[in-house]
Amino acid sequence: MILLIDIIIFSFIISFTLIKVFKGSAKFESLKCSSAILSLLITKFLYFNFLKIFIVGTISFLFDITSDQIDDSFFYAVSFLIQFSIINSIILFLVQYFNKNILSHSLEDNSNIKNMIIIAFSSFLRAIIILLIFILIIDSFPSDIKQSNSKINLSKTYNAFSKLSESIIK
């Protein structure tokens, strides 16, 4: 089980990177990577707590329970994911707009080794960011599920990414 988790994590990173190397362009992949990093920083430092408060308040109203009975870490992860997705979409849209309309258009040769390295590095960083957000969501599930996930934490790779996710995102 532990080896399977490690294999899944490494195969996700490797397959995501390889697919982007063969199908992506260096300019677009580097723009998507910079957009993801900028979105992560903006979401981390300008975290708007109202979304988590709104979700918790709505659930406590609908199910007639107090907000103290609701696990905040799961709704923190959900609100972080929603805010990250919105900010990333806005930044990516703006970057693509400026790229199409303002920056010069140059054809690039993706078979060039320099461009392949740029694509590989950019897609590797994006795969790590996606994996960190996914692990944050897995780690934030309510406590009943956490007890069954204790075997997952035995994986050194998962544990390392979990600690990295907590230090970068939370």
Side-chain angles (χ1 to χ4, degrees), residues 18-89:
L18 287 178
I19 289 170
K20 296 301 179 180
V21 165
F22 291 118
K23 287 191 172 189
S25 71
K27 189 177 195 181
F28 191 61
E29 289 301 321
S30 61
L31 289 175
K32 285 166 81 174
C33 178
S34 61
S35 171
I37 292 171
L38 187 61
S39 302
L40 186 66
L41 291 173
I42 290 172
T43 306
K44 167 73 176 154
F45 293 114
L46 296 178
Y47 176 68
F48 303 112
N49 203 22
F50 70 88
L51 188 58
K52 183 182 82 168
I53 292 170
F54 175 74
I55 293 172
V56 170
T58 304
I59 289 176
S60 66
F61 175 74
L62 288 175
F63 295 109
D64 196 26
I65 56 176
T66 63
S67 59
D68 297 337
Q69 295 172 325
I70 298 174
D71 189 15
D72 281 348
S73 63
F74 176 71
F75 294 106
Y76 171 80
V78 169
S79 64
F80 184 87
L81 178 66
I82 292 170
Q83 291 174 23
F84 174 81
S85 300
I86 291 171
I87 292 172
N88 190 33
S89 299

Side-chain angles (χ1 to χ4, degrees), residues 4-170:
L4 181 65
I5 294 168
D6 292 340
I7 290 172
I8 290 172
I9 290 173
F10 286 126
S11 21
F12 170 74
I13 294 171
I14 291 169
S15 63
F16 188 85
T17 303
L18 287 178
I19 289 170
K20 296 301 179 180
V21 165
F22 291 118
K23 287 191 172 189
S25 71
K27 189 177 195 181
F28 191 61
E29 289 301 321
S30 61
L31 289 175
K32 285 166 81 174
C33 178
S34 61
S35 171
I37 292 171
L38 187 61
S39 302
L40 186 66
L41 291 173
I42 290 172
T43 306
K44 167 73 176 154
F45 293 114
L46 296 178
Y47 176 68
F48 303 112
N49 203 22
F50 70 88
L51 188 58
K52 183 182 82 168
I53 292 170
F54 175 74
I55 293 172
V56 170
T58 304
I59 289 176
S60 66
F61 175 74
L62 288 175
F63 295 109
D64 196 26
I65 56 176
T66 63
S67 59
D68 297 337
Q69 295 172 325
I70 298 174
D71 189 15
D72 281 348
S73 63
F74 176 71
F75 294 106
Y76 171 80
V78 169
S79 64
F80 184 87
L81 178 66
I82 292 170
Q83 291 174 23
F84 174 81
S85 300
I86 291 171
I87 292 172
N88 190 33
S89 299
I90 291 170
I91 291 174
L92 195 57
F93 174 76
L94 291 174
V95 165
Q96 286 177 348
Y97 175 77
F98 286 124
N99 184 29
K100 280 184 180 179
N101 297 328
I102 296 175
L103 297 177
S104 65
H105 297 279
S106 63
L107 296 173
E108 57 184 33
D109 181 22
N110 286 335
S111 61
N112 186 354
I113 191 72
K114 180 182 103 176
N115 287 341
M116 291 181 101
I117 291 172
I118 291 171
I119 294 170
F121 183 72
S122 299
S123 59
F124 177 78
L125 285 178
R126 277 187 45 224
I128 296 294
I129 290 172
I130 292 168
L131 194 62
L132 290 176
I133 293 173
F134 184 69
I135 288 176
L136 173 73
I137 292 172
I138 290 174
D139 284 345
S140 68
F141 277 120
S143 60
D144 295 338
I145 298 174
K146 283 183 185 176
Q147 293 170 356
S148 65
N149 284 342
S150 63
K151 290 186 179 180
I152 292 176
N153 289 329
L154 294 176
S155 166
K156 300 287 185 195
T157 308
Y158 181 86
N159 199 13
F161 277 109
S162 178
K163 288 180 182 177
L164 185 64
S165 173
E166 286 179 14
S167 66
I168 290 177
I169 296 176
K170 282 191 175 183

